[in-house]
């Protein structure tokens, strides 16, 4: 998928820019809401912590995946999430996919994910991603042919072999 790519269901992607930084932070922060609710911290403390974590994650991603596509997911012209993908000749690595809460559970992520699997199938690529070991999404990934191939800390590395055609 290229920048400004249009997908089915009015979905599209465009490369993120510095002007998207606050939006990307809000997407990131929305993925940590439940975790942060357990801290007992004030809103200001949570915001300060999450901004620091967002900055660290952004630096880490760009150092580890300097050639990746860092895209904003769109419905029409409205930003609804982020998709970070590193494409190499032999492997498509899904670094991160996240949607704002009001856009979750509507099939958007699944549509994008299946598009990435189709892309990898056409190019004969392995697809890899990292997921928290206790994340319930693992069963979805397993249904698509992903298997655990390693991990580090709380994250497991999953890969779908080249021959693993998805449903």
């Amino acid at each position: 998928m290229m920048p400004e790519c249009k997908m089915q269901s009015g979905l599209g992607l465009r490369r993120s820019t510095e002007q998207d930084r606050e939006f990307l932070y809000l997407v990131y922060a929305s993925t940590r809401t439940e975790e942060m609710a357990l801290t007992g911290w004030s809103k200001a403390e949570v915001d300060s912590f999450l901004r620091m974590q967002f900055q660290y994650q952004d630096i880490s991603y760009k150092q580890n995946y300097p050639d990746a596509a860092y895209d904003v997911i769109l419905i029409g012209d409205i930003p609804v999430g982020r998709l970070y993908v590193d494409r190499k000749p032999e492997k498509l690595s899904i670094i991160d996919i996240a949607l704002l809460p009001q856009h979750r559970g509507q099939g958007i992520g699944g549509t994008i994910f299946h598009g990435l699997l189709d892309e990898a199938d056409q190019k004969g690529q392995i697809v890899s991603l990292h997921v928290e070991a206790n994340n319930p999404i693992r069963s979805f990934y397993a249904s698509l042919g992903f298997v655990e191939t390693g991990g580090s800390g709380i994250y497991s590395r999953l890969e779908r072999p080249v021959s693993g055609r998805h449903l």
Side-chain angles (χ1 to χ4, degrees):
M1 286 184 265
M2 302 300 293
E4 306 294 335
C5 172
K6 294 294 178 195
M7 296 178 276
Q8 63 184 359
S9 306
L11 293 176
L13 299 174
R14 69 166 169 74
R15 290 286 191 250
S16 64
T17 67
E18 191 57 36
Q19 288 74 31
D20 295 308
R21 191 140 181 87
E22 185 63 17
F23 168 76
L24 295 171
Y25 165 71
L26 293 173
V27 172
Y28 170 78
S30 76
T31 68
R32 308 276 308 265
T33 302
E34 289 178 22
E35 176 187 2
M36 292 295 102
L38 301 174
T39 65
W41 296 346
S42 70
K43 284 187 177 192
E45 290 169 321
V46 167
D47 184 63
S48 177
F49 175 78
L50 289 178
R51 286 186 185 279
M52 179 180 60
Q53 293 289 299
F54 173 71
Q55 177 71 15
Y56 172 75
Q57 183 187 66
D58 190 56
I59 290 168
S60 176
Y61 282 167
K62 289 177 179 161
Q63 284 177 346
N64 290 304
Y65 304 100
D67 300 322
Y70 296 94
D71 294 323
V72 173
I73 301 169
L74 305 167
I75 296 178
D77 293 331
I78 299 169
V80 299
R82 69 183 193 177
L83 175 66
Y84 300 165
V85 178
D86 190 45
R87 292 170 172 89
K88 301 288 186 224
E90 72 288 347
K91 184 192 287 189
L92 186 148
S93 298
I94 301 169
I95 304 165
D96 201 326
I97 181 171
L99 297 165
L100 290 171
Q102 63 268 34
H103 298 286
R104 296 176 192 154
Q106 300 173 22
I108 296 168
T111 297
I112 291 168
F113 204 86
H114 283 283
L116 292 168
L117 295 180
D118 286 342
E119 175 186 340
D121 287 344
Q122 291 170 8
K123 296 177 181 177
Q125 296 170 310
I126 293 170
V127 180
S128 71
L129 55 86
H130 286 84
V131 63
E132 287 185 0
N134 63 350
N135 191 323
I137 194 84
R138 291 173 62 105
S139 61
F140 171 69
Y141 296 148
S143 75
L144 297 174
F146 283 84
V147 294
E148 188 168 340
T149 59
S152 174
I154 64 168
Y155 293 97
S156 298
R157 183 178 62 246
L158 305 180
E159 288 187 349
R160 190 195 65 148
V162 173
S163 61
R165 185 87 183 148
H166 70 282
L167 306 174

